Amino acid sequence: MADDVAARAVLDLTCALIARRSLTPDDAGCCALLGERLARLGFTLEAIDAGGVTNLWATLGNGGPLLILAGHTDVVPPGPREAWFSDPFEPQIRDGVLYGRGAADMKSGLAAMVVAAERLLARRALRGTLAFLITSDEEGSARHGTRHVVEVLKARGLRPDYAIVGEATAAERLGDRITIGRRGSLGCNLRVLGKQGHVAYPDKAENPIHRLAPALAELTATVWDHGNAHFPPTSFQVSNLHAGTGANNVIPGHVDLIFNFRFCTESNAEDLKARVGAILDRHGLRYEADWWLSGEPFLTREAELVDAARASIADVTGIAAPLLFTGGGTSDARFLAPWGAQTVEIGPVNDSIHKINEHVRVDDLDRLSRIYEGVLERLL
């Protein structure tokens, strides 16, 4: 009976979170709900808000080790209501599957973490400190969420030992992957300058599209690195290309290009920027480059946290050797790992995240919570 109550607790809390329309960066009361649960356990709550973003830092215990459970309450827009089986902010269960925006990314992870803490603390006291870092700015700009909180806590001299992010990381079955690293993300808004003129008088103009083309061919053909045992080679991808006035007889004055590097630990942002600049300069381009770095790559070594995660997953799911994964996009782990924490991501199956009819299996909710509980048991 106690197990049934605990399993229902994860489902009920997940549904309560889904019902809050927390479109990024609006928290919509999710942190308040989670904070109430944590306060009842004795956690000290602190709001570290910034730029209109809600951030909750909650701690329980004293001394080390310090383990952080991290996640976000904000979700991406659901898309057209008529494409969903049901209202995306009214959680619905069909055939053992829970539907709703945030079901997998990542309100179920947050609910499972809170219930894991409740179950563990009902049995015994902690050794060390357990903390929750919850933000509403992961799906958006990610400037005022985890990034901001980490800088505030760094300034206090705080350094965590372990961090678990509840992102949806499983491929086909709960527990089949542990994310131990992520590639870095470096983007650029590039404007190549020319001289506008009439297409009939090209000698009196300078076509920036024509000037860009050879440089772009070299950029796309360049081997930036060869990757390593944990990461594929760094990739360069153009996502947007715009030029022209719309008229068919005007040579444009500039061409705008947006491109992105997903780079591994064999490269770094400054070197990539320098190499791009060298190519553009070699082709004699006049240009303006606006770079932004979303995060450096990170890799967590196989040590206490990975060992604890493997053991807990094996106990709960029977999967003895989950894949140690470094693919996918970025997450808030990119701010936690450089802080000095061994950092992993463990969460539900990710095949529906950001999609219409986002969902998670109901049976996976309690099992995910037990995975988190097992890691806490081993490390605290």
Side-chain angles (χ1 to χ4, degrees):
M1 181 63 71
D3 287 346
D4 291 342
V5 171
R8 185 72 198 187
V10 186
L11 173 60
D12 288 346
L13 183 52
T14 301
C15 290
L17 292 169
I18 291 172
R20 285 160 170 78
R21 191 182 179 86
S22 55
L23 294 171
T24 190
D26 185 7
D27 170 75
C30 292
C31 275
L33 174 63
L34 297 170
E36 290 174 6
R37 298 281 284 259
L38 295 174
R40 290 201 292 267
L41 297 174
F43 279 80
T44 298
L45 309 184
E46 180 182 2
I48 309 182
D49 301 346
V53 171
T54 300
N55 298 310
L56 174 64
W57 174 247
T59 58
L60 178 67
N62 292 290
L66 167 58
L67 189 154
I68 298 174
L69 297 175
H72 62 90
T73 63
D74 58 321
V75 299
V76 297
R81 163 65 185 87
E82 60 272 16
W84 284 71
F85 294 147
S86 54
D87 189 307
F89 296 103
E90 293 181 6
Q92 297 286 332
I93 297 173
R94 293 182 180 81
D95 299 322
V97 177
L98 172 64
Y99 291 88
R101 178 55 88 220
D105 185 17
M106 59 162 285
K107 292 181 173 182
S108 57
L110 284 171
M113 287 175 168
V114 170
V115 174
E118 290 174 340
R119 285 197 292 224
L120 180 63
L121 292 168
R123 293 189 287 108
R124 65 172 183 81
L126 298 176
R127 175 182 66 87
T129 303
L130 177 60
F132 280 80
L133 197 170
I134 305 171
T135 181
S136 65
D137 183 34
E138 196 272 348
E139 298 291 7
S141 67
R143 292 195 303 267
H144 302 297
T146 299
R147 183 199 297 262
H148 170 73
V149 175
V150 167
E151 291 306 314
V152 170
L153 298 177
K154 274 185 183 178
R156 298 177 186 174
L158 199 64
R159 176 171 171 167
D161 298 279
Y162 314 111
I164 303 172
V165 182
E167 290 286 357
T169 55
E172 297 178 359
R173 295 174 52 203
L174 179 69
D176 63 5
R177 292 196 306 205
I178 303 171
T179 296
I180 62 168
R182 293 273 190 172
R183 295 172 296 174
S185 178
L186 174 67
C188 183
N189 292 322
L190 177 68
R191 171 165 287 187
V192 175
L193 304 173
K195 183 179 179 181
Q196 184 171 317
H198 197 293
V199 296
Y201 302 95
D203 55 313
K204 297 181 179 181
E206 180 187 351
N207 195 318
I209 301 173
H210 295 182
R211 296 294 305 276
L212 171 63
L216 183 57
E218 184 174 347
L219 288 168
T220 58
T222 296
V223 177
W224 303 96
D225 58 51
H226 296 282
N228 55 37
H230 296 285
F231 291 96
T234 290
S235 70
F236 169 91
Q237 291 293 317
V238 174
S239 58
N240 288 268
L241 180 62
H242 300 286
T245 64
N248 66 3
N249 59 353
V250 178
I251 293 171
H254 63 267
V255 56
D256 292 325
L257 184 76
I258 302 176
F259 62 84
N260 179 267
F261 285 103
R262 291 302 165 105
F263 63 104
C264 72
T265 50
E266 297 297 308
S267 292
N268 64 73
E270 292 308 311
D271 179 60
L272 291 171
K273 288 193 282 187
R275 292 174 67 185
V276 169
I279 291 172
L280 299 178
D281 292 341
R282 185 161 58 249
H283 287 272
L285 300 182
R286 296 183 296 117
Y287 63 90
E288 301 165 354
D290 178 20
W291 293 92
W292 72 92
L293 178 65
S294 297
E296 295 279 0
F298 77 91
L299 180 69
T300 294
R301 70 186 188 278
E302 295 182 48
E304 300 93 346
L305 179 55
V306 173
D307 291 344
R310 276 195 183 115
S312 186
I313 287 170
D315 282 352
V316 175
T317 70
I319 299 173
L323 175 67
L324 301 183
F325 184 63
T326 60
T330 58
S331 76
D332 277 352
R334 68 190 188 271
F335 307 124
L336 296 166
W339 192 8
Q342 295 178 39
T343 304
V344 300
E345 299 175 33
I346 305 170
V349 175
N350 77 346
D351 62 351
S352 67
I353 62 174
H354 290 208
K355 294 182 179 180
I356 301 295
N357 293 319
E358 180 180 350
H359 59 271
V360 64
R361 292 197 58 80
V362 172
D363 289 348
D364 284 347
L365 297 176
D366 183 58
R367 297 198 301 154
L368 178 58
S369 184
R370 294 191 179 280
I371 289 171
Y372 294 145
E373 183 183 2
V375 177
L376 299 181
E377 181 84 55
R378 288 168 172 84
L379 295 177
L380 299 179

